[in-house]
Amino acid sequence: MKETSFAIVLISFIAFLGLLFGVILLEGNETSITQGTESILNQFQGTKTQDETQNSVDNNPELKNNTTNSQDQASTTQNATNSSRSQNTWNANNSTILQNNSNKPVNYTVKTIFGQETPLRDGVKLISDIWLPKDDGKYPVIIIRTPYGRSAAYMNYAGMGEYFARQGYVFMVQDVRGKGDSQGSFNFLFQEGPDGYDTIEWAANQSWSNGKVGMMGFSYMGANQWLAAREKPPHLVCISPTAATGRYMEEIPSIGGGFLYGMGPTMDPGQQRPHH
C-alpha cells in the first residue's frame, strides 16, 4: 500500500512539473510550429488583422512569391473570363443585328400607272391609279374603292401608294361606278358587290399580281368591302373595313322603316349621312 501511494504521488509530481514547464513555454511564445507557417494558420484563426497578415507574408519571401503568383493567376483567369464574356456579348449583339437586318423588308423603288381601265361584266370601265414596286415580279395587291374621288388631296393616296409599294405591295385606288373618272351611273352601295368582285378578280390576274388581294378603307369604302366579300371572289384573302355601316334597313338606307330621301341614286356619300 505504501509503494502504491508513493507511485501516485511521484506521478502527480511529474505531471505538475510538465504542466508548469508548458506554461513557461507559452509565456515565452516558444512553440513547436515551424517558422513561416504562422500566417497560414492565422488565416483560419481569423484573429489577426489584415495588416498583421500582410506583414507575415512580407517577412517570408517564399510565401510572398506564392501569394503574388496566386494573385497573378487569379487576375489572368478573371481577364480571360471577362474577355470571353465580352466576346460572347459581341457575338450575341452582332447576331441580333444580322437577324434584324435579314428581317428588314426590301425598300423597293416605285413605279405608277395612272388612269388604268378595269372592264366590268356589263362593259362599264372603272378607272384606277396604281403604285407598284419597280422591280418585275408578282406582288400582293391592296385595293381601295372610293366614291370620294381617287384624287382627293385629303386622303393622300400618293403617299399611301408609295409607302405600300416600297414594302413590296401593289396599291390600287379606284373610282367606283359613276364617280370620278369611272363610267356608269352611281347607285348608292347597291352595285358595289358585283363591281368589287370584278375588280378583285381583274387585279388578281394581272402580271404584277401574285393572286392575293386585300381591301381597306373607311365609311363607304368600308361598306363596299363587306359587299364585295359577300360575293366570295376567289382571290380575296382579307378585308380591313373601318367605320362601315352594317345593319342595312336599320342604319342605311332607312332608319326605323323610314327611307332617307337623301339616299337616292345621285346622292354624294361625302355630303349627306344618316343621323341617329
Side-chain angles (χ1 to χ4, degrees):
M1 289 296 294
K2 292 182 178 180
E3 292 178 355
T4 302
S5 299
F6 177 77
I8 293 173
V9 172
L10 180 61
I11 292 171
S12 299
F13 179 71
I14 293 173
F16 172 75
L17 290 178
L19 179 62
L20 181 62
F21 183 71
V23 172
I24 294 172
L25 287 177
L26 290 175
E27 288 180 353
N29 199 26
E30 297 178 5
T31 66
S32 60
I33 299 175
T34 303
Q35 186 176 3
T37 61
E38 294 90 341
S39 60
I40 299 175
L41 295 177
N42 289 336
Q43 64 180 313
F44 296 103
Q45 294 172 354
T47 56
K48 288 189 177 182
T49 65
Q50 183 177 358
D51 292 338
E52 290 174 333
T53 303
Q54 185 61 43
N55 290 335
S56 299
V57 173
D58 291 341
N59 292 331
N60 191 314
E62 183 178 355
L63 286 177
K64 186 174 183 180
N65 290 337
N66 290 338
T67 303
T68 302
N69 291 337
S70 298
Q71 291 175 346
D72 291 341
Q73 292 175 359
S75 178
T76 300
T77 302
Q78 184 63 36
N79 290 337
T81 301
N82 292 337
S83 176
S84 177
R85 288 176 179 173
S86 298
Q87 183 67 28
N88 291 336
T89 301
W90 187 90
N91 289 337
N93 290 339
N94 278 282
S95 176
T96 301
I97 292 172
L98 291 174
Q99 184 176 4
N100 289 340
N101 287 337
S102 66
N103 292 333
K104 185 177 180 180
V106 177
N107 189 16
Y108 293 95
T109 55
V110 176
K111 64 182 178 181
T112 56
I113 304 173
F114 294 120
Q116 172 67 53
E117 293 182 350
T118 299
L120 304 181
R121 66 187 69 178
D122 61 357
V124 169
K125 295 179 181 178
L126 305 186
I127 305 302
S128 304
D129 291 339
I130 302 172
W131 289 259
L132 61 163
K134 190 173 183 179
D135 297 341
D136 291 338
K138 294 182 179 295
Y139 304 96
V141 184
I142 300 172
I143 296 176
I144 292 179
R145 303 188 63 249
T146 178
Y148 308 118
R150 71 186 195 285
S151 300
Y154 64 89
M155 289 301 301
N156 190 22
Y157 288 125
M160 296 170 65
E162 290 184 5
Y163 171 79
F164 284 115
R166 292 186 188 281
Q167 309 308 312
Y169 294 87
V170 175
F171 179 76
M172 176 176 170
V173 57
Q174 180 185 77
D175 289 329
V176 299
R177 181 189 293 256
K179 290 295 181 178
D181 295 323
S182 291
Q183 299 175 355
S185 298
F186 178 75
N187 189 14
F188 190 85
L189 284 178
F190 297 107
Q191 77 285 337
E192 301 303 351
D195 288 1
Y197 180 103
D198 292 351
T199 298
I200 291 165
E201 292 307 300
W202 176 88
N205 286 282
Q206 300 307 300
S207 60
W208 32 256
S209 173
N210 68 359
K212 295 181 179 180
V213 180
M215 300 182 73
M216 61 181 292
F218 64 90
S219 188
Y220 190 99
M221 299 177 287
N224 66 27
Q225 295 175 58
W226 288 112
L227 293 170
R230 189 176 65 177
E231 301 293 318
K232 296 182 173 58
H235 293 94
L236 180 64
V237 297
C238 67
I239 61 174
S240 180
T242 303
T245 54
R247 295 179 298 174
Y248 297 103
M249 306 310 295
E250 294 182 27
E251 296 179 5
I252 191 171
S254 62
I255 296 179
F259 184 79
L260 298 174
Y261 288 103
M263 306 301 270
T266 60
M267 180 259 180
D268 186 339
Q271 294 179 352
Q272 297 185 21
R273 300 181 187 278
H275 299 284
H276 297 275

